[in-house]
Amino acid sequence: MRTLENRFGGVGGKRLAAVGVVALAAVVLASAGPVSLPSGVDVRTVGTMLALAFVAFACRGIALRGVLDVLGTRVGRLRAIGVFLATTFVGCLAPFGKAAAGPVSGLLVSSATDTGYEESLAAVVTVDAVVSVVGLSLALAGLGGSVRADPRMLLALPVIAVLAGGAWQVRDRLVGVAGRVVAVPVRLVCRVVPSKTPPSTAAVTDRVERVVESVELVARSPRRLASVVLFVAVGQVAAAACLWLALDAVGTAVAFPLVLGVLPLAGVGTLVPSPGGTAGVEAALIGLLVSFAGVAVPPASAAVLLYRTATFWAPLPVGGLATLALGGRDAISAARGSVAEQAA
């Protein structure tokens, strides 16, 4: 018990007991058999999907660990995976969906790893950026071989890549613009929370500059960055395999490269201001499967529901436990009441 507590970073006995209760409940549900599962979906399929979802989370957690290591913070693998699961959970509590998930996740990483807020936010931003770049690359490769793919839609991928590269080249100029833009919602939040003093635009810009400097430090470590890209790619493939298995379980055969291609594009659904992009991601995935893979709406909906259950809903309780174990209560409180304080 003590060894496990030390590895996870001081998890108390009560919290470990809570994890044990959840594990026991999972065993009971698994032993009960496919009572409520749709026809054609068995417990083995669900178990495999959950395992693939865990691989995807674990790979991104290890990628976060690699970025933090470059920034001077050493974190164990198990703790890094727990931190990433916790950021997924806390991100769902952030207002305005994906738009606020990054700053909130930065708060949690800072609290859980004793790292400065700017470095923590930079680590989160870096991992998100790598996920986006790897996802777009896999989308281009996966959809490139599809006879159903619209060439005009495929052209959007390299255009996005060029725009992102151009933005990075003029990042110094964009920092000032970003500081002025970010200062507006921060001041609005401070007005809602009377005890908080609105930060100046210069203070916000300084924080943005420090985040960009941390990202630059990661970019100047090509070996570590390559490792981060590799883990993110493996995680993306695992997530795509989970969706492919869900499609197969509902009786729809779709080529794996096509699934690998449409999955990253569904990330646009996370921009919907809802917990974890709920409804937005599902709608995007269903639409992409219908338009690119020619899947009918009913089986596409069933497969997407299975996929989201395995990769989003099922891991949320584990993420909640990880949040409590890693001192996420303070981060949640700060996220709800004064995200702006971290930018002051």
Side-chain angles (χ1 to χ4, degrees):
M1 180 72 72
R2 178 61 57 184
T3 301
L4 182 57
E5 290 182 14
N6 291 338
R7 289 187 65 186
F8 203 75
V11 180
K14 292 182 179 179
R15 292 167 181 171
L16 287 175
V19 175
V21 170
V22 173
L24 180 60
V27 172
V28 171
L29 290 174
S31 62
V35 176
S36 59
L37 295 177
S39 176
V41 182
D42 54 21
V43 173
R44 180 178 297 180
T45 300
V46 174
T48 304
M49 291 177 62
L50 290 174
L52 289 170
F54 175 77
V55 170
F57 277 109
C59 286
R60 292 187 181 181
I62 295 175
L64 177 63
R65 174 178 181 261
V67 175
L68 288 171
D69 185 48
V70 175
L71 297 177
T73 300
R74 302 301 297 269
V75 181
R77 290 186 180 88
L78 183 59
R79 189 177 182 86
I81 295 171
V83 169
F84 187 82
L85 284 168
T87 59
T88 302
F89 176 80
V90 175
C92 294
L93 303 180
F96 311 116
K98 186 68 173 177
V104 174
S105 297
L107 280 172
L108 178 61
V109 173
S110 177
S111 174
T113 62
D114 294 327
T115 306
Y117 177 71
E118 292 82 5
E119 290 77 12
S120 299
L121 181 57
V124 172
V125 169
T126 300
V127 173
D128 285 345
V130 173
V131 169
S132 299
V133 171
V134 171
L136 287 174
S137 301
L138 292 176
L140 184 60
L143 296 179
S146 172
V147 295
R148 296 180 180 272
D150 188 341
R152 291 173 298 180
M153 296 186 68
L154 292 178
L155 282 176
L157 299 178
V159 169
I160 293 174
V162 171
L163 290 177
W168 178 253
Q169 294 298 322
V170 295
R171 59 189 179 278
D172 292 336
R173 298 180 182 178
L174 294 178
V175 165
V177 177
R180 291 191 293 272
V181 172
V182 173
V184 175
V186 167
R187 288 172 180 169
L188 291 177
V189 173
C190 289
R191 290 179 182 177
V192 177
V193 185
S195 61
K196 306 303 176 183
T197 302
S200 65
T201 301
V204 175
T205 302
D206 181 65
R207 286 281 177 134
V208 174
E209 287 178 350
R210 290 162 68 180
V211 171
V212 172
E213 288 173 359
S214 297
V215 174
E216 290 176 345
L217 181 61
V218 177
R220 290 196 296 268
S221 305
R223 184 175 179 180
R224 179 65 71 178
L225 187 59
S227 175
V228 170
V229 171
L230 176 61
F231 277 108
V232 168
V234 173
Q236 191 70 26
V237 171
C242 186
L243 177 58
W244 179 83
L245 193 60
L247 287 164
D248 183 70
V250 299
T252 302
V254 178
F256 183 74
L258 192 58
V259 176
L260 194 63
V262 301
L263 185 59
L265 301 182
V268 69
T270 59
L271 298 177
V272 175
S274 62
T278 304
V281 174
E282 287 82 353
L285 264 179
I286 293 170
L288 289 166
L289 289 173
V290 171
S291 60
F292 280 96
V295 181
V297 174
S301 301
V304 169
L305 180 60
L306 282 172
Y307 167 77
R308 285 287 283 173
T309 299
T311 59
F312 179 72
W313 293 110
L316 274 186
V318 182
L321 290 172
T323 302
L324 294 176
L326 295 168
R329 291 180 179 177
D330 295 338
I332 293 174
S333 176
R336 287 178 172 177
S338 59
V339 175
E341 183 179 11
Q342 297 299 325

